[in-house]
Amino acid sequence: MIAYFKKLLFLISIPSSLLVTSCANVMKGDEDAVYFGGEIINPNSKEVYLCKDNDIIDTIPLDKNNRFLKKYDTLIPGMYTFRHDPEYQYIYFEKGDSLMIRLNTLEFDNSLAFCGRGDEKNNFLIELFLKNEEEKNSSFDIYDYDLKKFEEKIDNEYKSKQAFYERRKGEIDWDEDFDLYAKSMLDFPYLAKKEMYPMVHQYRTNKEVCKELPKNYYDFRKEIDFNKDKLTHFAPFVGYLTSMLNNITCKITCKNNADGLIVENNIKKLKVADSIFTNKPIKNSVLHNIAFMYLLEDQNTANNKTFLDLYYKLSSDKKNKEKIKKIATSIQALAKSRFLPPIELLQTDGKKTNTVKTNGKRTIVFFWSSKAKSHLELSHKRVDELQKKYPNLNFVGVNIHDTPEDWKKLLSKYNFKITELHSNNFEEIKQKWVITKNHRAMLLNEDGSIKNAFISLFDAQFDDYLK
């Protein structure tokens, strides 16, 4: 129903000349040609990129009305992505498809709609994606549940989406190739939660759960083909693999969660990935994710060298190796006793600043966005709790992803009692402060120097950061 109304709005707003060209039947003799076009509202740039397996295969310029249209005579059927930086989304093409998109960059995923031949499959994908995102953003606290309650919660959510999947599969009657992606988008976010539960539950509650898991808890792994070529770069699959490999050291972590085991656990992940994956592109993708997540966790220079030496040996992807080198360099700039690299931040009075003021107190800097409403509310609630426990701590919230206007509306709605700043350049904060997700926080000393740039407000052992 959501897709239906989106499509109506889409058809109303696209000019008839563009609609006839691309949403109608293609010209005779062009039965196998593929058309891709659309309109970008509030564009961030003047280009749309069409990508296959993370590689740009075409750069499509927007015209003066922020529209575009391109014909492909030899586009291989399958899954692609289109990018309008910094966002991207999936698009599936078959021979003869004539797909138009319309989106507003202020609500990229939520506003996206497809029109034309092939639109039903693609509208299904975006609807299922949004269902997954809604669950993710509203289920931040489910990992606190005991095992029975946790499984009941995620099983009920899965059954609801499975019914949606089965209904649309019957109505659209798609082929096996598309079903690989549709089923993966259904299954892997659910399985990733099962992988994450033992780790996150202990992290959030300080209660060990590994030994309580039933013997068949991980039986679902036996049904997974870990070397499926077409899923190499598909986000739900890659996300699941990351969760699984993070969980693969559960027994070690549960016995002892000491910092000295971080590099040992991650080296084991590299070796496990090397042994599990025979498909080189998948192996390289997984190794890259392990290295990326490890660098966010361990800022010990000696540990880093030991880990990275093995990563560089096992990975054969030169581009990923170069990315990891850059991330490692950025993380070194956030080492203990250094000062945060300056970035442009907006204050509530409308003035700009490039520093975080500590007011002579140890300061916790955390990040939030309206795109993760549950985390927005829980993080500020957690700050209220910590303020009462540690009245001498200073707290600074930094909004990311929202526009300055939407940020100010949110501040008026919630009336937070702490210093709030806004970052209008996510690429800058991502590169300089290595902020890739909302759940990161940083601890600064009274003089603004870094005590620990990689902490969590929700760590059950939060007190240890302050020692």
Side-chain angles (χ1 to χ4, degrees):
M1 187 61 73
I2 294 174
Y4 174 75
F5 283 113
K6 276 187 173 182
K7 187 173 179 180
L8 284 181
L9 290 171
F10 186 109
L11 292 169
I12 290 168
S13 57
I14 291 289
S16 58
S17 59
L18 194 59
L19 196 63
V20 169
T21 303
S22 55
C23 283
N25 292 328
V26 294
M27 295 173 62
K28 290 183 178 180
D30 285 347
E31 288 83 1
D32 290 344
V34 169
Y35 288 84
F36 176 44
E39 180 181 8
I40 310 293
I41 301 170
N42 298 310
N44 298 318
S45 67
K46 296 302 291 183
E47 298 89 22
V48 172
Y49 303 101
L50 184 63
C51 307
K52 180 68 173 174
D53 298 334
N54 288 347
D55 294 323
I56 296 174
I57 62 172
D58 196 11
T59 301
I60 312 172
L62 301 181
D63 65 18
K64 62 181 181 180
N65 296 312
N66 300 323
R67 298 175 188 136
F68 67 98
L69 181 63
K70 193 71 178 282
K71 176 186 175 184
Y72 299 96
D73 292 316
T74 58
L75 195 69
I76 298 171
M79 186 64 77
Y80 292 76
T81 58
F82 65 89
R83 270 176 36 202
H84 184 68
D85 290 336
E87 304 279 4
Y88 80 95
Q89 194 48 263
Y90 288 100
I91 185 167
Y92 188 88
F93 288 109
E94 290 183 351
K95 287 183 178 181
D97 277 353
S98 180
L99 281 165
M100 295 284 292
I101 63 168
R102 187 172 190 269
L103 63 86
N104 187 329
T105 62
L106 300 181
E107 293 186 55
F108 192 94
D109 297 317
N110 285 289
S111 67
L112 173 60
F114 294 87
C115 168
R117 182 173 176 178
D119 65 340
E120 288 188 305
K121 294 188 297 295
N122 285 284
N123 280 320
F124 163 80
L125 285 179
I126 191 65
E127 283 191 75
L128 186 54
F129 169 83
L130 291 173
K131 288 176 185 290
N132 287 334
E133 287 296 294
E134 183 179 2
E135 281 181 10
K136 184 169 70 174
N137 292 334
S138 64
S139 62
F140 192 69
D141 59 348
I142 65 171
Y143 300 100
D144 294 347
Y145 297 169
D146 62 44
L147 180 61
K148 182 180 179 182
K149 185 177 179 181
F150 168 77
E151 290 195 306
E152 286 177 351
K153 173 69 173 176
I154 66 169
D155 286 350
N156 287 336
E157 291 174 341
Y158 177 79
K159 288 175 184 176
S160 174
K161 289 187 297 182
Q162 185 180 37
F164 169 68
Y165 158 83
E166 295 289 355
R167 176 171 58 82
R168 295 300 287 148
K169 182 180 180 181
E171 293 169 349
I172 299 172
D173 191 29
W174 55 62
D175 62 18
E176 289 185 9
D177 187 72
F178 179 79
D179 193 55
L180 172 66
Y181 300 103
K183 193 70 163 60
S184 296
M185 189 172 280
L186 170 69
D187 289 345
F188 285 121
Y190 164 73
L191 298 179
K193 292 175 186 176
K194 291 181 72 74
E195 296 283 3
M196 291 167 60
Y197 177 73
M199 302 176 295
V200 180
H201 183 77
Q202 180 175 344
Y203 186 73
R204 294 280 301 273
T205 67
N206 211 22
K207 294 178 181 178
E208 187 175 316
V209 74
C210 295
K211 296 176 182 178
E212 299 175 10
L213 299 177
K215 291 182 179 180
N216 65 350
Y217 184 80
Y218 294 111
D219 278 1
F220 58 83
R221 291 177 182 169
K222 299 174 185 177
E223 307 300 320
I224 298 173
D225 181 352
F226 290 106
N227 293 286
K228 187 77 74 173
D229 281 313
K230 291 182 178 180
L231 296 181
T232 302
H233 301 284
F234 195 50
F237 178 64
V238 174
Y240 168 75
L241 294 181
T242 302
S243 298
M244 183 199 73
L245 286 166
N246 284 339
N247 189 29
I248 211 77
T249 55
C250 176
K251 291 181 181 178
I252 293 176
T253 307
C254 284
K255 289 179 181 177
N256 186 348
N257 201 28
D259 290 340
L261 285 174
I262 293 175
V263 68
E264 180 184 337
N265 286 348
N266 281 277
I267 284 175
K268 181 179 179 182
K269 290 176 194 175
L270 291 178
K271 292 178 178 178
V272 169
D274 186 51
S275 66
I276 289 179
F277 303 105
T278 57
N279 180 298
K280 275 193 174 182
I282 291 180
K283 179 186 291 189
N284 286 331
S285 177
V286 172
L287 292 173
H288 173 77
N289 285 335
I290 294 170
F292 177 74
M293 297 307 297
Y294 163 75
L295 289 173
L296 297 183
E297 190 176 11
D298 189 359
Q299 285 72 59
N300 182 294
T301 303
N303 287 351
N304 284 358
K305 185 180 186 310
T306 302
F307 173 88
L308 290 174
D309 284 347
L310 179 59
Y311 165 73
Y312 294 138
K313 178 182 177 181
L314 297 179
S315 175
S316 59
D317 190 317
K318 293 181 180 179
K319 288 183 180 179
N320 278 346
K321 287 181 180 180
E322 191 59 36
K323 289 178 183 177
I324 291 298
K325 285 181 182 177
K326 289 180 179 179
I327 293 168
T329 300
S330 295
I331 286 175
Q332 284 304 308
L334 299 174
K336 185 177 181 180
S337 299
R338 294 192 176 187
F339 289 84
L340 289 174
I343 66 169
E344 185 177 287
L345 297 166
L346 183 66
Q347 300 176 149
T348 52
D349 61 5
K351 295 180 180 178
K352 294 180 180 179
T353 181
N354 60 8
T355 59
V356 175
K357 295 178 181 178
T358 65
N359 298 321
K361 298 180 178 181
R362 282 189 298 177
T363 297
I364 301 291
V365 183
F366 67 101
F367 304 87
W368 60 275
S369 164
S370 67
K371 299 184 188 304
K373 184 179 178 182
S374 177
H375 175 263
L376 181 166
E377 295 175 348
L378 285 170
S379 61
H380 284 86
K381 180 180 178 182
R382 175 64 170 157
V383 165
D384 288 341
E385 295 170 354
L386 292 172
Q387 278 185 313
K388 293 174 183 177
K389 188 173 182 180
Y390 304 104
N392 292 324
L393 278 183
N394 181 44
F395 291 88
V396 177
V398 179
N399 174 266
I400 55 179
H401 296 309
D402 294 306
T403 65
E405 294 75 20
D406 288 340
W407 169 61
K408 290 177 181 178
K409 289 178 183 177
L410 289 164
L411 294 182
S412 297
K413 175 182 177 181
Y414 287 99
N415 194 27
F416 300 130
K417 304 299 183 183
I418 59 170
T419 300
E420 295 284 355
L421 300 172
H422 171 71
S423 170
N424 199 34
N425 188 337
F426 182 68
E427 283 303 309
E428 182 184 34
I429 200 170
K430 177 182 175 182
Q431 292 173 13
K432 291 185 177 180
W433 289 4
V434 200
I435 302 300
T436 59
K437 55 185 180 179
N438 295 337
H439 299 165
R440 263 275 304 287
M442 303 186 293
L443 174 61
L444 307 181
N445 295 312
E446 291 86 345
D447 63 354
S449 61
I450 297 168
K451 181 172 176 61
N452 189 336
F454 298 86
I455 68 171
S456 169
L457 292 174
F458 300 95
D459 192 336
Q461 298 173 322
F462 181 87
D463 295 2
D464 291 343
Y465 295 137
L466 304 178
K467 293 178 181 177

